[in-house]
């Protein structure tokens, strides 16, 4: 799936969309911290949305897991949530 991400400097996160029921279902907004993305790509000097896109399969899976566990809670991923993503990439 395409990564629909924007960098939100005021919240120090990258905001992205997930679709738990596919593209015909609801669009859920999630966030991942800048620190988590920098942890995935420590030599990054560029756009954090690019890192989000590069690791999106894993990031999306973690966000969907969090959504399914608590559908009404905000989804904000941090470094501990995505620490295994670097191993899979």
């Amino acid at each position: 799936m395409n990564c629909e991400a924007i960098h939100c400097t005021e919240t120090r996160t990258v905001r992205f969309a997930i679709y738990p029921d596919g593209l015909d279902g609801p669009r859920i907004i999630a966030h991942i911290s800048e620190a988590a993305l920098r942890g995935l790509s420590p030599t990054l000097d560029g756009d954090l949305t690019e890192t989000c896109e590069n690791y999106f399969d894993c990031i999306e899976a973690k966000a969907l897991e969090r959504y399914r566990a608590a559908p009404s809670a905000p989804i904000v991923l941090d470094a501990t949530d995505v620490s295994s993503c670097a191993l899979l990439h």
Side-chain angles (χ1 to χ4, degrees), residues 44-64:
L44 176 74
D45 286 332
D47 189 355
L48 290 173
T49 59
E50 186 176 315
T51 301
C52 187
E53 186 173 329
N54 290 340
Y55 290 89
F56 193 64
D57 288 343
C58 184
I59 292 169
E60 178 185 39
K62 297 292 183 179
L64 286 169

Side-chain angles (χ1 to χ4, degrees), residues 61-89:
K62 297 292 183 179
L64 286 169
E65 181 181 306
R66 180 75 58 86
Y67 171 77
R68 289 188 175 113
S72 60
I75 302 166
V76 182
L77 303 178
D78 62 24
T80 58
D81 294 313
V82 297
S83 61
S84 64
C85 292
L87 301 174
L88 301 172
H89 204 268

Side-chain angles (χ1 to χ4, degrees), residues 2 7 9 11 16 32 45 55 74:
N2 289 337
H7 187 194
T9 56
T11 60
F16 61 95
I32 184 167
D45 286 332
Y55 290 89

